[in-house]
Amino acid sequence: MEALDMNELELKEQAIKEFVNLQRLKAAENRDKEIEYQERILRARLQALGIPTEDLELR
């Protein structure tokens, strides 16, 4: 399996995205709707990378 390397800039960009999403959630008038939105976006990203999301669900 090939290792995926993230350079420093990519790590910073990812951290900024996570921070922005957290701030959006904190400021959301309807947190449930914001959580659903962010989950849809993240699920699409994961699936585009070939990562199945079914097993990631908390039950």
Side-chain angles (χ1 to χ4, degrees):
M1 181 174 177
E2 181 179 321
L4 298 177
D5 294 327
M6 292 182 75
N7 65 36
E8 185 176 349
L9 178 59
E10 290 169 326
L11 289 171
K12 288 179 181 179
E13 289 174 348
Q14 184 59 38
I16 290 169
K17 286 178 185 178
E18 291 177 33
F19 184 78
V20 167
N21 286 340
L22 182 58
Q23 294 302 309
R24 283 180 56 125
L25 184 56
K26 287 172 62 176
E29 289 182 27
N30 184 335
R31 287 185 178 191
D32 288 341
K33 187 174 181 179
E34 180 64 26
I35 289 169
E36 288 175 15
Y37 168 77
Q38 288 189 30
E39 184 178 20
R40 277 195 314 271
I41 297 299
L42 186 52
R43 188 178 300 277
R45 286 180 182 162
L46 290 168
Q47 290 174 349
L49 292 169
I51 301 170
T53 58
E54 298 82 25
D55 295 335
L56 300 177
E57 291 290 330
L58 295 177
R59 298 170 207 257

